[in-house]
Amino acid sequence: MRLNPDVMWLNEVQNSYDRDMDFAKDLFEQAMRDVESQLGSSNGVLEEIQNLAVEAVSEDELIRATVGPPGFLQSLELDPRVKRLDVETLAEQIMEMVNGASDLLRTEMAERVQALMPDLDPAKLMAEFTQSRETDH
């Protein structure tokens, strides 16, 4: 039995369509795996950033400031010898240590994000992270 040319053409169209749909399905599934992978990496980066802390120490080692995301002071250690400093000098040095630790933290966070996810914009991530942390506190 010989098939009608129209039926043969329809079979070819159907086979071509099936191949195209299989290819599209494979592409879609790969794209979804890529998205899931990126989200997993992003969550890992956020977790790592949330646990990050940076310490700055004054030149005379009298003051230590530890800062965590998004720049909150976690600890401040004062050597008993700071009693020898006048109040203005002490306040200035504390401010320098906290600001220095905050700068170090921002740099460290940006470097970690960039190393783990080179395609991600660390400034955007930091802004979103800061905003979410501020609403939590």
Side-chain angles (χ1 to χ4, degrees), residues 44-103:
V45 170
L46 286 175
E47 185 176 322
E48 186 174 328
I49 288 172
Q50 287 174 335
N51 296 322
L52 186 63
V54 175
E55 181 181 72
V57 181
S58 65
E59 287 182 25
D60 57 10
E61 298 183 359
L62 297 178
I63 303 167
R64 293 178 184 275
T66 304
V67 174
F72 293 131
L73 182 63
Q74 291 181 340
S75 71
L76 179 64
E77 296 177 29
L78 303 174
D79 186 286
R81 294 176 291 161
V82 298
K83 294 177 187 174
R84 299 181 193 149
L85 301 174
D86 63 87
V87 176
E88 289 174 4
T89 302
L90 179 60
E92 184 179 303
Q93 286 189 4
I94 290 172
M95 291 291 290
E96 286 176 13
M97 288 301 92
V98 171
N99 290 337
S102 293
D103 289 343

Side-chain angles (χ1 to χ4, degrees), residues 8-78:
M8 289 175 54
W9 178 80
L10 284 174
N11 283 338
E12 285 181 38
V13 168
Q14 182 64 45
N15 289 338
S16 176
Y17 175 78
D18 289 344
R19 283 191 304 273
D20 289 347
M21 289 307 293
D22 288 342
F23 180 71
K25 180 182 172 196
D26 291 344
L27 281 177
F28 177 76
E29 289 173 351
Q30 181 60 48
M32 290 306 295
R33 285 192 294 273
D34 291 346
V35 167
E36 288 171 358
S37 174
Q38 281 285 354
L39 288 175
S41 296
S42 178
N43 288 337
V45 170
L46 286 175
E47 185 176 322
E48 186 174 328
I49 288 172
Q50 287 174 335
N51 296 322
L52 186 63
V54 175
E55 181 181 72
V57 181
S58 65
E59 287 182 25
D60 57 10
E61 298 183 359
L62 297 178
I63 303 167
R64 293 178 184 275
T66 304
V67 174
F72 293 131
L73 182 63
Q74 291 181 340
S75 71
L76 179 64
E77 296 177 29
L78 303 174

